[in-house]
Amino acid sequence: MNITRCLRTLAFGVGAVLVGVVTGCGGGGGSAVLPPSIVVQPASVSVPAGAPATFTVTASGDAPLSYQWKRDGAAIAGATAANYTLAATALGDNGAGFSVNVSNPAGALSSTAATLSVTAVARSWGAAVLLSSGDTLHTPGDPHVAIDTAGNAISVWQEAVGLSVRNAVWASRYGAGSGWSAAATIDDPIGNSAAPQLAMAPGGVAVASFVQSTSNNGGGVRMLATRFDGTAWAARSRIDVLDASIDADHRLAIAADGAATVAFNQSDNVTGRRATASGSSAAGAWATPEVIGATRSYEPQVALAANGDAVMAWLVTDTPSTSSLWASRRLGAAWSVPVRIVNGGREMAFLRLHADAAGDAIAVWQERPTLRTEVRATRLAAASGAWSVPVALNDGTLQAQQPELAMRVTGDSIVVWSEASDSGQASGLVMNRYVASDAAWSGPARVQPTGASAGVSPSLALDGSGNAIAVWLQGASANPLRLEVWAANFDPVAGLWATPTKLMTDPAAYAVGGQSQTPAIAINAAGDAVVVWFQRTDAPFALGIWARVYR
């Protein structure tokens, strides 16, 4: 018997909760297995909301050592390494305790619990900055914006080049702490471009897609994409089906590794518009586009899970007065056979689609089942592939229209839309919130304070803690016909919207309504946000794309 080995083994049990039987200390002469011992206990962590939190344990003992992390005593699925990271903390995580069980064939013991402290981050709006030319020759519009984990952002928009020789897609990059770069074109130097879309991975890789004609005076139309690798924009890639008619209606999504998917409409001039998808590798190589849907498709949407699986949804014109909603999934490399989710809805429009990290998705849209338009939603359960029965998100007392959807990685979602009376008088912005832990919608609630000018054309974004920022257009108090850009923050713990803030700082400036002039917002997991919008002035007459950063 190895007496020294036996005594050493027993000593490791002191000061820890030791479970199991130490072998090899009897008279059998077998070699003892050293049980686990925790050398360094997990330390408590304090982080700002939205930041990751990592807990680590250092243990000794004979291999193999096994680990199982717990949160407030409950095992965390998949957390079986010597460290555990909560990717995006939320204020609701404050006070949670994280411990770990360490085991080997000789026994098991539990660590002490480390406490997670999550603090709210004080943020404010920076100064308004002009991104585009700001003169009357270039007529900018259709702004979009995206932001990465570090707070760097990119904005793209459509604007004429020179003396209106052609319309181009422009881009400007915001470096956290350094400001905005000079605007530059990112499309081909020949041909008119329109309808830019933008998506950005957490690490800073971005993809922009747009349609562009083959000449400055017409010609065929192509769907192009270009990739920003963190330093520069790459050469454009054609991603549509060659020799097919392309319209500008498309959407773009990007995975964490930089692989992108574009959903768009293309027509073979025989059967009409068909929902089509094209995907790229993480390095930016685009695959052959694949026709997914049948004829007469419009408003294609696409969203990605954390592993790159995709879900695509689109509307189909069935008759001049009825529409249907269709969807397909890409699990791995292949798209599934499309399924009809909603059959025979009337005047369906404003389709929006998002997916969480697990691939569960929500689709929302505007529909007129009766004399009043409704905002409706359906949810995809990724595990079963089944879509839920559509539900109305508004209360039905007013016309509900122009829904916008935002979702965090956990599946919590917010939908914001504008409401109007039956005569068309705008009434304001309303929201409904999907709480993933309850698997239910919370019910409609007003976004704007009572008595405020009615908001229209909303945009919306959610951070990693569930905080939301909504931006919209509303009439100025002195002249309701002059629209202004406003924003408000949503606190998920209190379930309340803060007092709105006017983002336009020039008292002579005003915005213009219409889908191509809707303000755009992007937010990262930590809560840094960027808003871009179009505004104009009359004296002097000027047009421009402006931005404000929230950090």
Side-chain angles (χ1 to χ4, degrees), residues 21-45:
V21 178
V22 178
T23 61
C25 293
S31 117
V33 177
L34 189 64
S37 176
I38 295 178
V39 179
V40 180
Q41 297 279 353
S44 295
V45 175

Side-chain angles (χ1 to χ4, degrees), residues 301-303 311-313 351-355 361-364 378 387 405:
Q301 302 283 310
V302 66
V311 56
M312 182 174 166
L351 177 63
R352 299 294 184 263
L353 176 72
H354 282 278
I362 290 177
V364 300
T378 178
W387 291 85
L405 167 69

Side-chain angles (χ1 to χ4, degrees), residues 443-464:
R446 188 174 176 84
V447 175
Q448 297 173 278
T450 301
S453 296
V456 295
S457 301
S459 293
L460 181 69
L462 273 167
D463 70 8

Side-chain angles (χ1 to χ4, degrees), residues 68-84:
Q68 176 59 64
W69 287 89
K70 296 182 177 182
R71 173 173 173 154
D72 295 332
I76 303 171
T80 55
N83 55 69
Y84 168 69

Side-chain angles (χ1 to χ4, degrees), residues 23-124:
T23 61
C25 293
S31 117
V33 177
L34 189 64
S37 176
I38 295 178
V39 179
V40 180
Q41 297 279 353
S44 295
V45 175
S46 180
V47 295
T54 298
F55 299 91
T56 302
V57 67
T58 302
S60 65
D62 285 344
L65 287 175
S66 299
Y67 303 87
Q68 176 59 64
W69 287 89
K70 296 182 177 182
R71 173 173 173 154
D72 295 332
I76 303 171
T80 55
N83 55 69
Y84 168 69
T85 297
L86 184 62
T89 56
L91 291 177
D93 298 319
N94 185 53
F98 292 83
S99 60
V100 61
N101 281 4
V102 185
S103 62
N104 72 0
L109 56 87
S110 295
S111 74
T112 58
T115 301
L116 172 60
S117 298
V118 183
T119 57
V121 178
R123 288 182 167 82
S124 60

Side-chain angles (χ1 to χ4, degrees), residues 140 143 456-457 471-476 479-486 502-514 516-520 532-538 541-546:
V456 295
S457 301
V471 295
W472 64 86
L473 301 177
Q474 71 180 49
N479 183 355
L481 297 180
R482 291 202 170 203
L483 300 177
E484 299 173 334
V485 179
W486 287 73
K502 180 183 172 182
L503 296 185
M504 299 169 65
T505 56
D506 183 348
Y510 62 99
V512 178
S516 65
Q517 307 300 351
T518 297
V532 293
W533 70 88
F534 167 85
Q535 74 178 41
R536 62 187 298 166
T537 59
D538 292 331
F541 183 40
L543 307 170
I545 301 295
W546 289 74

